[in-house]
Amino acid sequence: MSSTKQLKRLIALVDCNNFFVSCERVFNPKLEKKPVVVLSNNDGCVVARSNEAKLLGIGMGVPYFEVEKLIKRKGVIVLSSNFSLYGDMSNRVMQTLQQLGCDIEIYSVDEAFLLLPEEAALSIARKIRQQILKEIGIPVSIGVSLSKTLAKVAGHFAKKNLKTEGVFALVEEGERKKMLSTLPVEEVWGIGRRLKTSLNQFGVYTAGELCDKEDRWIKKHFSVVLLRTAWELRGKGCLSFDEVAGPRQSIMTSRSFGRAVKELSELKEALSAYVAKGAEKLRSQSSLTSYLYVFLIPSFSEKKPASSASFQLQFPTDYTPLLSEKAERILEALFEEGVSYKKVGVMLGDFSERKERQYTLLETPALSEKRSRVMDLVDSINHHFGGRTLHFASEGVDQPWKMRQENRSPRFTTSWDELLSIRI
Amino acid sequence: MNSKSDSECALPLFLDTIAAGFPSPAEDLVELSLDLNKLMIQHPAATFFVKVEGRSMIEAGIQSGDILVVDRAIEAVEGKIVVAVINGEFTVKRLVKKEGRCFLVPENSKFSPVEITSEMDFKVWGVVTYVIHKAT
């Protein structure tokens, strides 16, 4: 690029509202405006609630038996998780975001960070919200700011405040200071209960108070990690577009080239490197992947759209040579002779835990149903993500109050036998 | 590139893209055979399939048991056959405007049109682009 002026960009967090419930509502509009909860298969805990259910006092992650009476009394609708549906709807949202052409980082099944040009960020965000609502039926909230941590703050505000109409930009310094001065420190991304208690002991109760502390003080009493959070809160984006807090649900690795690339061999080299890097991160969180997504973006002057394709592996793996080989084959299919490209990338998805037994199509997946972690949504979603898993019955009825899967809605988008049926 | 002889590579690329909702491979794959996805699906992320039962749209070529390809990204303008939701119920009818009023019109003389009024909880869910009818 010959231009020396740096294009200023803001970070947007796109976050689906009550994602599981929203997915159910697309295919069952009768659920709108009603209290609805979705239960996890494994533990019979509440893993999603509509706003109406939240207002009734049903908390996130509570065991079903604790709220059974309340649910029956208030006529709350209870559904079993339909991960095939949620995974597919998530794909649709992420694909729509990816087609915008800006840098994107898929953070979880229902969240993604985007880099938007500063000038038009708010109007782009509004268009995104409208588009996803119309085309997929999922309402999203979008927070725009100078860093990921602040984008999360803005997104949270966008979600809670109806006046924002789902989109909120937190950029101006005065506004930021004001908002952070009343934000409890434990509501900041990356600050959990333990940190909160320690911070409170030092008299730091709000995000604003944390920002005001000197760098030296933060490093001395806490860590570099908290210092980064403080910088992010102050408006300095330091979590790069590959860094998050916690294990990822997908790993995207890509870079824009310094110059246009035309040779397939060069593209392959770059892609290999990205696959290797992604696989490294995969192993560092003890995950295996069975889903590869490769995309190729032509230079702007070519006036051609980006192309991409995916590949579902039969067995989950973290073996770099195998992933590289598959990625290369996809690249070969996407490559067009004579075209200049500016970017190639790979996303690894559909994670499963390395310690789990690998399964074949002939035997029933032996997922560890006896997980104690209530919020183990990630693994559950990943197992169903590709829609390839056989539908397995819950293992053993440990508790008499455990919900059976018969309250699961049909797999409207991943099973030909379970399509939405309309009487006309 | 031997993608034709390598069935492990060619098929999942297509079948998966319907199931997972990701875009179909690039248009420049001239060697691969005709793909129904390319023909019928313009906006993969916004395209859904629904099954219909009943005879109210017979004259539009929609028979009971058919599968409809529904695109939510297309503008629901007059004349289009749409999937709509009225007071929480799904229906499939043609959108027609007459003298400033909106109607959902069946394609079967035995059924009557329904006027869309402001009191109704009405919304268009998507536009029907293709009808899949099993011949045998």
Side-chain angles (χ1 to χ4, degrees):
Chain A
M1 263 212 284
S2 55
S3 163
T4 48
K5 196 162 94 158
Q6 266 251 321
L7 217 75
K8 274 205 85 187
R9 294 191 292 181
L10 294 174
I11 296 183
L13 172 67
V14 179
D15 185 349
C16 302
N17 300 349
N18 309 323
F19 185 56
F20 294 173
V21 173
S22 296
C23 288
E24 303 281 357
R25 282 174 166 169
V26 173
F27 301 92
N28 186 355
K30 289 209 171 89
L31 296 176
E32 305 220 357
K33 302 206 174 85
K34 301 234 175 75
V36 181
V37 299
V38 176
L39 303 185
S40 74
N41 295 333
N42 304 343
D43 304 317
C45 296
V46 173
V47 295
R49 310 149 297 157
S50 67
N51 287 344
E52 297 78 7
K54 283 181 193 173
L55 285 172
L56 290 176
I58 300 172
M60 180 59 112
V62 299
Y64 174 68
F65 76 85
E66 272 183 25
V67 287
E68 186 175 5
K69 284 214 186 96
L70 173 63
I71 282 174
K72 294 209 163 117
R73 195 163 26 121
K74 297 285 184 174
V76 179
I77 296 147
V78 181
L79 297 168
S80 303
S81 338
N82 186 345
F83 291 121
S84 301
L85 177 67
Y86 310 151
D88 180 76
M89 294 294 270
S90 172
N91 284 351
R92 291 164 184 269
V93 172
M94 299 312 171
Q95 187 196 341
T96 304
L97 293 176
Q98 277 165 336
Q99 283 180 341
L100 298 169
C102 33
D103 282 324
I104 177 176
E105 181 190 311
I106 298 169
Y107 174 59
S108 71
V109 74
D110 63 352
E111 289 166 288
F113 289 103
L114 298 173
L115 276 178
L116 301 177
E118 185 184 27
E119 290 276 298
L122 207 52
S123 67
I124 293 175
R126 291 206 181 99
K127 285 206 189 99
I128 291 172
R129 182 184 145 81
Q130 250 179 308
Q131 186 184 358
I132 295 178
L133 188 59
K134 174 181 201 292
E135 297 188 3
I136 308 169
I138 302 290
V140 306
S141 301
I142 305 181
V144 180
S145 191
L146 304 162
S147 68
K148 284 182 175 177
T149 308
L150 283 174
K152 275 228 162 203
V153 173
H156 191 73
F157 187 76
K159 200 174 269 210
K160 295 284 152 106
N161 271 274
L162 294 172
K163 274 191 246 167
T164 61
E165 290 183 324
V167 178
F168 184 68
L170 188 64
V171 181
E172 197 267 308
E173 186 174 3
E175 263 193 74
R176 281 187 276 130
K177 288 214 150 120
K178 189 165 163 220
M179 186 157 284
L180 296 181
S181 67
T182 54
L183 184 70
V185 81
E186 65 270 20
E187 287 190 24
V188 174
W189 191 35
I191 296 182
R193 213 168 299 168
R194 261 193 307 139
L195 259 182
K196 158 199 150 74
T197 316
S198 314
L199 283 165
N200 287 167
Q201 279 170 359
F202 281 104
V204 176
Y205 290 92
T206 68
E209 282 164 357
L210 175 62
C211 284
D212 290 340
K213 285 291 182 197
E214 271 193 29
D215 287 2
R216 250 178 317 165
W217 185 91
I218 298 175
K219 249 205 309 202
K220 176 175 177 208
H221 295 281
F222 291 92
S223 68
V224 154
V225 177
L226 187 63
L227 180 60
R228 274 214 298 230
T229 298
W231 280 17
E232 286 246 314
L233 287 171
R234 290 177 200 152
K236 270 192 259 185
C238 9
L239 289 174
S240 78
F241 233 48
D242 270 332
E243 290 175 273
V244 289
R248 314 160 134 280
Q249 283 73 29
S250 71
I251 294 171
M252 171 96 82
T253 319
S254 76
R255 293 282 185 279
S256 291
F257 300 124
R259 52 167 181 80
V261 175
K262 272 187 152 152
E263 298 297 320
L264 179 59
S265 55
E266 284 185 59
L267 291 171
K268 279 190 185 178
E269 240 182 74
L271 187 62
S272 255
Y274 303 158
V275 170
K277 185 159 184 234
E280 233 182 88
K281 288 189 198 164
L282 191 64
R283 287 188 294 271
S284 73
Q285 59 176 68
S286 302
S287 298
L288 303 172
T289 178
S290 40
Y291 185 86
L292 261 173
Y293 176 78
V294 177
F295 60 91
L296 192 53
I297 305 183
S299 302
F300 184 72
S301 53
E302 296 278 1
K303 305 248 186 280
K304 275 172 174 282
S307 51
S308 60
S310 58
F311 190 100
Q312 183 87 30
L313 297 156
Q314 205 182 19
F315 304 101
T317 183
D318 60 1
Y319 191 52
T320 306
L322 175 62
L323 293 169
S324 274
E325 186 213 319
K326 299 297 183 197
E328 247 188 52
R329 292 230 288 243
I330 299 175
L331 179 60
E332 283 165 356
L334 299 174
F335 177 76
E336 203 183 321
E337 192 69 48
V339 174
S340 315
Y341 293 100
K342 74 171 181 193
K343 192 170 181 177
V344 71
V346 60
M347 184 182 87
L348 306 174
D350 194 0
F351 292 170
S352 44
E353 269 197 46
R354 203 196 299 151
K355 63 176 199 261
E356 290 188 10
R357 186 159 63 97
Q358 291 187 356
Y359 56 88
T360 70
L361 290 174
L362 298 175
E363 67 191 43
T364 320
L367 299 173
S368 56
E369 295 277 358
K370 299 192 202 290
R371 282 189 198 287
S372 51
R373 278 160 63 196
V374 164
M375 293 306 289
D376 231 342
L377 305 178
V378 173
D379 287 344
S380 305
I381 291 166
N382 292 337
H383 291 306
H384 293 262
F385 204 61
R388 220 120 304 257
T389 52
L390 303 171
H391 198 72
F392 52 92
S394 302
E395 224 162 62
V397 185
D398 293 331
Q399 289 98 357
W401 47 263
K402 194 169 179 176
M403 286 288 295
R404 290 167 299 170
Q405 276 184 355
E406 272 131 42
N407 272 32
R408 196 209 67 202
S409 55
R411 291 171 295 180
F412 302 107
T413 58
T414 55
S415 171
W416 288 110
D417 294 328
E418 298 181 33
L419 293 183
L420 175 65
S421 186
I422 301 178
R423 272 237 125 245
I424 62 170
Chain B
M1 190 184 120
N2 289 327
S3 68
K4 254 203 279 209
S5 54
D6 187 352
S7 59
E8 191 195 6
C9 180
L11 291 178
L13 278 175
F14 295 123
L15 295 177
D16 271 351
T17 54
I18 301 181
F22 270 87
S24 304
E27 272 99 41
D28 43 301
L29 294 171
V30 286
E31 269 118 46
L32 298 173
S33 41
L34 289 175
D35 178 8
L36 274 175
N37 288 329
K38 290 274 188 58
L39 176 74
M40 303 201 303
I41 302 178
Q42 264 193 311
H43 308 109
T47 300
F48 297 88
F49 299 101
V50 304
K51 194 166 192 174
V52 294
E53 308 279 347
R55 302 174 54 81
S56 66
M57 295 298 282
I58 284 273
E59 272 141 57
I62 299 176
Q63 301 187 38
S64 196
D66 286 354
I67 292 175
L68 306 180
V69 181
V70 185
D71 190 331
R72 290 180 64 124
I74 293 184
E75 231 19 76
V77 295
E78 216 226 317
K80 298 261 185 211
I81 297 177
V82 298
V83 173
V85 183
I86 301 182
N87 300 329
E89 296 281 347
F90 279 105
T91 184
V92 178
K93 298 286 175 286
R94 196 182 294 277
L95 203 59
V96 171
K97 288 205 178 122
K98 230 181 182 167
E99 293 147 15
R101 297 152 79 191
C102 269
F103 295 86
L104 286 179
V105 179
E107 294 270 349
N108 180 335
S109 48
K110 297 204 181 105
F111 291 77
S112 343
V114 172
E115 183 176 1
I116 304 163
T117 61
S118 44
E119 294 96 58
M120 277 177 173
D121 185 11
F122 165 82
K123 70 168 186 255
V124 169
W125 197 85
V127 173
V128 178
T129 51
Y130 282 89
V131 182
I132 302 172
H133 177 81
K134 191 155 193 267
T136 44

